[in-house]
């Protein structure tokens, strides 16, 4: 498992959370889209089971963040 790609994803998620804390939900939504695309790339090229397991954790987290952002934007 290559941790560097998950470090990038971890930093992106932290950025999203920081933006949400500042109530900047529009920018958080843009960052979430970027993070989701990056996660899709990881999944597309992943062959290691550990990568898939780690990716699934981030999928759940990004889905939760997306729901919170959507509620805030309504």
């Amino acid at each position: 498992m290559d941790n560097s790609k998950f470090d990038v994803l971890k930093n992106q998620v932290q950025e999203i959370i920081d933006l949400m804390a500042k109530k900047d939900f529009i920018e958080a939504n843009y960052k979430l889209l970027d993070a989701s695309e990056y996660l899709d790339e990881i999944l597309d090229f992943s062959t290691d089971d550990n990568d898939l397991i780690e990716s699934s954790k981030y999928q759940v987290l990004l889905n939760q963040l997306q729901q919170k952002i959507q509620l805030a934007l309504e």
Side-chain angles (χ1 to χ4, degrees):
M1 181 168 79
D2 181 14
N3 284 334
S4 64
K5 59 187 163 195
F6 290 109
D7 288 342
V8 169
L9 192 56
K10 179 181 175 184
N11 291 335
Q12 288 179 324
V13 168
Q14 186 60 54
E15 215 175 321
I16 294 164
I17 292 169
D18 291 345
L19 288 166
M20 291 173 68
K22 295 176 187 175
K23 308 282 190 225
D24 189 354
F25 296 105
I26 294 172
E27 186 64 27
N29 195 44
Y30 289 131
K31 296 288 183 179
L32 182 96
L33 292 173
D34 291 341
S36 294
E37 287 178 16
Y38 184 71
L39 180 59
D40 287 342
E41 288 177 23
I42 292 173
L43 286 170
D44 286 345
F45 298 105
S46 182
T47 58
D48 184 19
D49 285 345
N50 290 331
D51 282 353
L52 296 175
I53 292 168
E54 191 70 16
S55 295
S56 69
K57 293 175 187 177
Y58 279 100
Q59 278 183 313
V60 170
L61 178 57
L62 290 176
N63 285 338
Q64 291 287 326
L65 292 172
Q66 182 179 27
Q67 289 175 3
K68 291 188 181 296
I69 290 170
Q70 292 303 318
L71 283 173
L73 292 175
E74 289 179 355

